Amino acid sequence: MLCQAVLLLLHCFASLTLGQYDLCKSLVSTDDGAVWEQYACQPKAQSMKDYMRVKVDPPGITCGNPPERFCTLENPYLCSDECDASNSDLAHPPQLMQDRERTGRITYWQTVTWSRYPEPLLANISLAWNKSLELTDDIAITFEYGRPTIMVLDKSMDHGRTWQSYQFYADDCLDAFNMPPKLVRDLLPANITRVICTEQFSRWVGSKNDKNVKFEVRERFAVFAGPRLLNMDSLYTRMESMKGLRDFFTFTNLRLRLLRPALGGTYVQRDNLLKYFYAISNIEVPARCKCNLHASLCLLQEGDLQCQCEHNTTGQDCQRCKKGFKAKSWKAGSYLPTPNGSPNTCAVAGAPMGGGSKCNCNQMGSVHDRCNGTGFCQCKDGATGPKCDDCFPGYYWKQGCYSNVCDEELLLCQNGGTCSQNQKCICPPEFKGVLCQQSRCEGDKACNTACTPHLLAPLLLCVLLPHLLATLTAH
Ligand SMILES: *[C@@H]1O[C@H](CO)[C@@H](O)[C@H](O)[C@H]1NC(C)=O
Ligand SMILES: *[C@@H]1O[C@H](CO)[C@@H](O)[C@H](O)[C@H]1NC(C)=O
Ligand SMILES: *[C@@H]1O[C@H](CO)[C@@H](O)[C@H](O)[C@H]1NC(C)=O
Ligand SMILES: *[C@@H]1O[C@H](CO)[C@@H](O)[C@H](O)[C@H]1NC(C)=O
Ligand SMILES: *[C@@H]1O[C@H](CO)[C@@H](O)[C@H](O)[C@H]1NC(C)=O
Ligand SMILES: [Ca+2]
């Protein structure tokens, strides 16, 4: 009961903070009148299947030209179904992977059958957006008549010029790709961006049972934000500090390489090849436009999604300063400090840029504020840059450079702790120590449950408690 109350309370806090980063600026009144206050901002997540351009390869892979009969794995001797591209009721063109099935009738793209066995039955599906996007939830591909036994998901971040593997899928990963099978939940925080082969979505379970093949985004987010994604701040903090984490979820194009269809058993039955083919009824890609935290809106313009850039930035992803606003170099907005982040607004050229001394060495980072004989600032340990106002990797800046206390690679916070700006681990209540490595209550059984009184105490102050308890008792 107490545990339920805590969970409910946590949930109440999370929903209060939802909508974080959805505002780029707001008018606030000050002694000097109303001024715009600016915040880091990002567009809402949306269903990107509405905007994707679909292409299937090779030519002629779609069934129905010429018309063809097909059977199913469940009943391979009932082969009355027909695919006919010239008859709209019997055609299965690629656009049926992204339509809205309003009538409740499942519509799907379908390939030719594997009549050319033992030549492999190969098909590529390329999805293009002409816009950088960031995944916000699982990609889900729905297969009718069974999921492929071998398949690869690829992505491109540069409009299809270069590609990389995103995830491998097979009923036998070692056999198909010479990779050991893994589950996302086996991954530790440090290697969450690793590309894995999974057997979870390729085994035969009967075509009507599980039709989906997923790329698990939620489960990866949950490693940082907790199983119900209640602690999004922790995820956003990692997005800033962990090398490659944001890029891992970023793409402009996706490609499905279908390498072997569902077999419904261990072997291919050569005497009935009409039951082997691919059919996809839906491809769900929940994502948001990547606008570098400089836009809260992303709209369709001239056929493409386009960030509506704020903070005096411009470009498809708000990746440049506007003309006349280049006083300092462009920077992406930052999720930190939470909850509002930093806008890193582009400034009007000609605005004052700090003191006027010729070399201006940073007083905290340099040995003294004057240059040496050849015009260089002389930096203290850990500091670098022409003015000694930057830190070497492994150091953080706080009025000078100090060695990292924690990071995302070697000095990982343990037991669910999160590393705050390389300076300290923020530990869950049950743990302490520089890296949260030590249990607070060794040998004390009462401490072993998550719902101890000291955790509840601050929550009891929540003004919403009476309301929540009322809803609790009502159920
Ligand atoms: C699918 O794409 C890959 C990578 O470009 C290519 O090597 C392969 O030949 C394509 N397969 C088909 C069936 O078009
Ligand atoms: C992609 O988007 C950019 C900017 O919105 C536009 O200039 C370009 O023409 C688009 N390219 C294609 C192939 O649609
Ligand atoms: C992730 O790292 C841990 C420890 O370094 C290792 O045991 C595990 O196998 C790694 N996972 C993958 C998929 O490489
Ligand atoms: C540029 O940013 C300033 C705030 O820094 C804002 O007052 C101004 O309206 C912006 N200008 C444009 C053209 O967006
Ligand atoms: C000045 O500092 C730079 C960089 O540390 C060094 O390369 C150079 O030799 C120094 N010059 C003098 C005269 O000390
Ligand atoms: Ca459909």
Side-chain angles (χ1 to χ4, degrees), residues 439 441-446 448:
S439 170
C441 25
E442 250 138 38
D444 180 353
K445 273 187 196 140
N448 287 339

Side-chain angles (χ1 to χ4, degrees), residues 221-457:
F221 284 178
V223 168
F224 305 117
R228 276 139 37 102
L229 305 188
L230 295 178
N231 187 4
M232 287 301 278
D233 273 3
S234 163
L235 174 66
Y236 288 134
T237 302
R238 299 277 176 151
M239 288 281 190
E240 292 291 342
S241 61
M242 191 173 164
K243 215 180 286 167
L245 186 61
R246 286 195 80 170
D247 279 354
F248 182 76
F249 297 104
T250 304
F251 62 98
T252 57
N253 302 58
L254 295 172
R255 180 171 65 201
L256 286 170
R257 283 190 279 136
L258 310 179
L259 301 175
R260 195 177 65 193
L263 305 182
T266 319
Y267 304 105
V268 176
Q269 275 186 305
R270 285 166 165 272
D271 59 348
N272 188 351
L273 294 172
L274 298 185
K275 63 178 179 174
Y276 305 116
F277 53 89
Y278 307 101
I280 297 181
S281 57
N282 195 38
I283 300 181
E284 208 56 67
V285 183
R288 67 164 52 95
C289 290
K290 177 188 171 79
C291 303
N292 287 298
L293 293 173
H294 287 312
S296 60
L297 284 177
C298 185
L299 303 176
L300 206 58
Q301 280 179 332
E302 291 158 29
D304 283 307
L305 286 168
Q306 177 85 51
C307 299
Q308 308 294 300
C309 302
E310 302 269 1
H311 306 156
N312 294 317
T313 62
T314 185
Q316 202 187 24
D317 305 340
C318 310
Q319 76 281 24
R320 298 194 298 273
C321 287
K322 262 188 183 165
K323 235 178 147 185
F325 291 89
K326 293 180 182 166
K328 49 185 179 183
S329 54
W330 175 90
K331 260 179 100 170
S334 168
Y335 285 118
L336 297 178
T338 55
N340 286 330
S342 315
N344 294 335
T345 300
C346 289
V348 187
M353 277 272 301
S357 141
K358 259 323 287 155
C359 54
N360 220 0
C361 305
N362 186 293
Q363 288 189 16
M364 308 292 183
S366 60
V367 179
H368 38 69
D369 61 356
R370 281 158 290 117
C371 300
N372 72 6
T374 46
F376 287 90
C377 297
Q378 286 189 290
C379 300
K380 289 182 185 165
D381 270 359
T384 181
K387 301 198 188 309
C388 306
D389 56 357
D390 238 342
C391 295
F392 279 114
Y395 291 80
Y396 67 91
W397 180 267
K398 192 178 182 185
Q399 300 180 326
C401 293
Y402 295 88
S403 294
N404 285 351
V405 173
C406 53
D407 61 26
E408 306 294 343
E409 276 153 30
L410 296 172
L411 299 166
L412 283 172
C413 301
Q414 298 166 26
N415 295 308
T418 52
C419 180
S420 171
Q421 307 187 348
N422 296 120
Q423 294 174 21
K424 60 174 179 194
C425 290
I426 299 173
C427 302
E430 311 91 296
F431 293 94
K432 61 180 181 178
V434 176
L435 296 175
C436 313
Q437 73 278 26
Q438 206 177 342
S439 170
R440 275 189 194 280
C441 25
E442 250 138 38
D444 180 353
K445 273 187 196 140
C447 286
N448 287 339
T449 74
C451 294
T452 48
H454 70 269
L455 179 70
L456 257 181

Side-chain angles (χ1 to χ4, degrees), residues 31-96:
D31 291 345
D32 305 330
V35 297
W36 286 104
E37 203 168 84
Q38 318 227 4
Y39 318 102
C41 51
Q42 60 187 5
K44 289 208 163 24
Q46 41 188 332
S47 171
M48 292 297 173
K49 85 169 176 183
D50 297 342
Y51 307 105
M52 68 190 180
R53 282 169 210 154
V54 182
K55 186 171 172 282
V56 297
D57 280 304
I61 188 69
T62 302
C63 68
N65 186 19
E68 186 181 15
R69 273 186 320 117
F70 62 94
C71 322
T72 66
L73 290 164
E74 262 97 11
N75 193 345
Y77 302 103
L78 187 74
C79 303
S80 51
D81 284 328
E82 192 181 8
C83 177
D84 182 350
S86 64
N87 176 338
S88 65
D89 287 334
L90 301 176
H92 294 278
Q95 62 263 31
L96 298 183

Side-chain angles (χ1 to χ4, degrees), residues 96-99 101 107-108 281-282:
L96 298 183
M97 290 186 272
Q98 63 181 138
D99 61 339
E101 296 168 354
T107 58
Y108 50 91
S281 57
N282 195 38

